[in-house]
Amino acid sequence: MSRGKDRIVYRRTYGVWVNKRSDCKKATSLHASQNEAINAARSLLERQGGGRLTVMKADGKIYNKDIIAREAVPPDVGRGRLAV
């Protein structure tokens, strides 16, 4: 079952790679290469608390599925104090 934070990377017919949320119709970002789109999706998932990343090949078949964990925040930085 798809959750709101999950992302999918796929190729449009004219060669542009798309990074979009699984539950949205519009793309979050467009990229010239698959690698750029994967990096953008991975970065967004880390910042938004984690989720599933599905990557499609150019032919539309699933290439990879991955679970991205939440971005690690050092304990003192998140509370307004600087770690010394």
Side-chain angles (χ1 to χ4, degrees):
M1 181 174 202
S2 177
R3 296 180 325 204
K5 294 180 187 175
D6 296 346
R7 298 207 159 264
I8 185 167
V9 170
Y10 64 93
R11 185 176 176 207
R12 287 193 176 160
T13 54
Y14 50 90
V16 174
W17 287 91
V18 176
N19 160 30
K20 86 175 196 68
R21 277 179 41 169
S22 298
D23 64 343
C24 291
K25 291 182 181 180
K26 293 185 178 182
T28 302
S29 57
L30 303 175
H31 304 273
S33 73
Q34 183 185 39
N35 206 25
E36 289 175 10
I38 291 170
N39 289 338
R42 194 175 288 274
S43 176
L44 283 169
L45 280 171
E46 287 173 353
R47 284 186 275 137
Q48 294 174 348
R52 292 183 183 155
L53 173 60
T54 302
V55 180
M56 311 295 274
K57 294 194 289 187
D59 63 5
K61 294 182 182 176
I62 293 176
Y63 170 69
N64 189 21
K65 287 186 176 183
D66 199 6
I67 296 175
I68 308 300
R70 182 178 176 170
E71 184 176 43
V73 178
D76 288 338
V77 174
R79 296 188 193 109
R81 297 185 300 256
L82 295 176
V84 181

